[in-house]
Amino acid sequence: MMPVWIAVSALLVTSIPNALETVYDTTAERAELARSISANSAFRALYGNAFGDSIGALTAWRGGVLTGLLAAAMSLTIVVRHTREEEETGRQELLSAAVVGRRAPLTAALLAAVTANAALGLLVIIGLAPYGLPGAVALGAAVTSTGLLFATVAALAAQLAESARAAKGLAAGFLALAFLLRAAGDAGSTSGSAALTWLSPLGWSEYVRPFGGERWWVFALFAAALTAQCALAYLLAGRRDLGRGLLPGRPGPAVGRLASAGALAWRLQRGATLGWALGFLIAGLVFGRMAQGAADLVGDNEQTRTILERMGGQAALIDTFLAAMSGMLGMVAALQIVASVLRLHGEEQGQRAEPVLALALGRLRWAGSHLLIAFAGAAATLLLGGLGLGLGSGHDLGALLTACLVQVPAVWVLGGLTVLLYGALAEFAAGAWAAAGITLAIGWLGPALNLPDAVLYLSPFSHLPKLPGAAMAWGAPATLTGIAVVLVAAGLGAFRRRDLAG
């Protein structure tokens, strides 16, 4: 996992200068872009402030926060994976029977996170060095520091939470809070020194100001937080039992509340589903606000307009921007449906499916209850995304709801592919993440990199009508829905015939 995650994250930020040089090839155009960023609170909330109009400064604006988020997500996944997940599978107990210290697993997990983040930071420095070595070093070090800080957050969560899933949720909640604090601070201030932003580690990364008059002293904040969190995690690691968290688990539900397979599936998936729904509503509101400044951002730049048209079709500029954002929400919803379908795999691998299926409950009914939540949940979150776009932009609400719902068939295709992999090739079920990642990369970077249509059409989203603005065409959505049905049916058929894990 680590090499792929590092490579994708590094490519994301190091490909930005080339795109900027292609689209904004004069100093005046870059200065106008920086002015538009400062004038639009939604852009500041999403990406942060731009501390200059050079290629390096605009690269740090466009990719700094996003790459920091990716490094943080990678780090918390690595640390929880090599601590609490190892305990839950029983492998850590086997290793601990040998001459292995109580804190050795935590040390190994943190060393893995250090290695991954150092590699990512080094790639960022190498890729951006031609645009100014001090700025490249500052950005690479900021990304590495952000990842390491959230590695220690995950180390703390692993000691506190009752399970690996709860530890990931706790660490991810802290990451979401950090992003919201930074977004609120940047949206409300153009000074580059908002109090709310200073409360967020993601804000510290931004306020290092790579390529914009670097503030090297900000790294002292990272060092202090890393030292304190790491020391506390090691202290707590020596005080808890293997496989247990320091925070007490909640008692189970009262008798009768989980009387059906559907109720159990909802109980297991409701937290993630509601979290995705809230996130899509907020993202829709932010993207809707951004649409109000789309005309100022593009200005007379024909290359930017062309990129938006490749993403959102040829229509009025605001319609094109909203169509592109609707497609982006759809591609992110693909990550939701993959995660939700793979909950089946997690239940099976954790030996929790077998006791449930030992009752008077068929495999298809058990799997179907989870798939109903996965597929309906993805549609519901896209509906909320469309609601946010409409409220944020003041555009025709019905048109934007339709624009988001038309993405559902493509999302379902990726969900169906996940079902097929889980049912037929359970050991390769995680490969669905690769399919979702490739789809997201094609949709996100393809238009900017001017990839040929043959590559863009590998994504099911490329076949959908670009709403709002374009005419509705039912052929592609109907075909994709049919493909999704076939994939789900084939996956369930294979699952019904194979043995359960273990």
Side-chain angles (χ1 to χ4, degrees), residues 196-212:
L196 284 176
T197 305
W198 279 114
L199 295 176
S200 167
L202 294 175
W204 302 348
S205 177
E206 176 190 345
Y207 283 171
V208 170
R209 294 192 175 188
F211 300 99

Side-chain angles (χ1 to χ4, degrees), residues 163-228:
S163 65
R165 184 177 180 85
K168 287 181 180 178
L170 190 61
F174 185 83
L175 176 58
L177 177 62
F179 181 82
L180 290 175
L181 285 172
R182 185 214 55 79
D186 286 340
S189 173
T190 59
S191 66
S193 188
L196 284 176
T197 305
W198 279 114
L199 295 176
S200 167
L202 294 175
W204 302 348
S205 177
E206 176 190 345
Y207 283 171
V208 170
R209 294 192 175 188
F211 300 99
E214 292 78 13
R215 291 173 168 174
W216 300 104
W217 60 265
V218 176
F219 288 108
L221 298 177
F222 282 108
L226 280 168
T227 302

Side-chain angles (χ1 to χ4, degrees), residues 79-447:
V79 172
V80 177
R81 161 69 179 83
H82 291 288
T83 53
R84 294 309 300 274
E85 285 190 18
E86 289 293 287
E87 295 178 21
E88 291 182 358
T89 59
R91 290 189 291 266
Q92 188 54 55
E93 186 174 10
L94 180 63
L95 290 173
S96 297
V99 186
V100 176
R102 291 175 63 88
R103 297 176 178 84
L106 178 58
T107 301
L110 289 174
L111 285 175
V114 168
T115 302
N117 283 287
L120 174 57
L122 182 61
L123 288 175
V124 170
I125 292 171
I126 293 172
L128 299 182
Y131 303 94
L133 187 59
V137 171
L139 183 56
V143 169
T144 297
S145 299
T146 302
L148 292 179
L149 188 142
F150 280 94
T152 58
V153 168
L156 277 173
Q159 313 312 313
L160 298 173
E162 186 72 12
S163 65
R165 184 177 180 85
K168 287 181 180 178
L170 190 61
F174 185 83
L175 176 58
L177 177 62
F179 181 82
L180 290 175
L181 285 172
R182 185 214 55 79
D186 286 340
S189 173
T190 59
S191 66
S193 188
L196 284 176
T197 305
W198 279 114
L199 295 176
S200 167
L202 294 175
W204 302 348
S205 177
E206 176 190 345
Y207 283 171
V208 170
R209 294 192 175 188
F211 300 99
E214 292 78 13
R215 291 173 168 174
W216 300 104
W217 60 265
V218 176
F219 288 108
L221 298 177
F222 282 108
L226 280 168
T227 302
Q229 291 176 177
C230 193
L232 183 57
Y234 271 91
L235 176 65
L236 297 179
R239 295 187 177 185
R240 70 175 182 88
D241 293 331
L242 188 70
R244 305 287 295 181
L246 293 174
L247 296 178
R250 293 184 301 172
V255 175
R257 286 179 59 190
L258 299 179
S260 67
L264 176 60
W266 171 244
R267 174 65 182 82
L268 294 172
Q269 302 227 36
R270 68 182 181 187
T273 302
L274 294 176
W276 279 104
L278 178 61
F280 267 61
L281 179 61
I282 294 173
L285 289 169
V286 172
F287 289 152
R289 288 289 305 278
M290 289 171 63
Q292 298 175 7
D296 292 336
L297 181 68
V298 174
D300 297 326
N301 194 300
E302 291 298 327
Q303 291 173 314
T304 305
R305 188 182 298 271
T306 300
I307 291 174
L308 281 177
E309 288 176 353
R310 295 194 80 192
M311 295 179 68
Q314 295 183 351
L317 181 59
I318 292 181
D319 283 346
T320 299
F321 182 85
L322 290 171
M325 295 303 100
S326 300
M328 186 62 65
L329 290 175
M331 286 180 278
V332 175
L335 303 178
Q336 176 195 356
I337 199 170
V338 169
S340 188
V341 171
L342 287 180
R343 185 60 195 264
L344 288 168
H345 188 253
E347 291 295 297
E348 181 181 344
Q349 293 293 322
Q351 306 297 314
R352 295 182 292 272
E354 190 171 359
V356 175
L357 293 173
L359 305 174
L361 177 65
R363 287 191 180 196
L364 294 185
R365 186 179 164 198
W366 172 74
S369 62
H370 283 272
L371 296 183
L372 176 62
I373 293 171
F375 283 73
T381 53
L382 278 169
L383 189 65
L384 286 173
L387 177 63
L389 282 175
L391 295 177
S393 66
H395 205 69
D396 182 5
L397 181 59
L400 290 172
L401 291 175
T402 303
C404 285
L405 288 177
V406 81
Q407 310 296 322
V408 169
V411 174
W412 283 355
V413 166
L414 288 168
L417 177 62
T418 308
V419 176
L420 179 61
L421 288 173
Y422 167 68
L425 300 167
E427 63 271 25
F428 300 109
W433 287 114
I438 291 171
T439 299
L440 186 62
I442 290 175
W444 200 341
L445 300 177

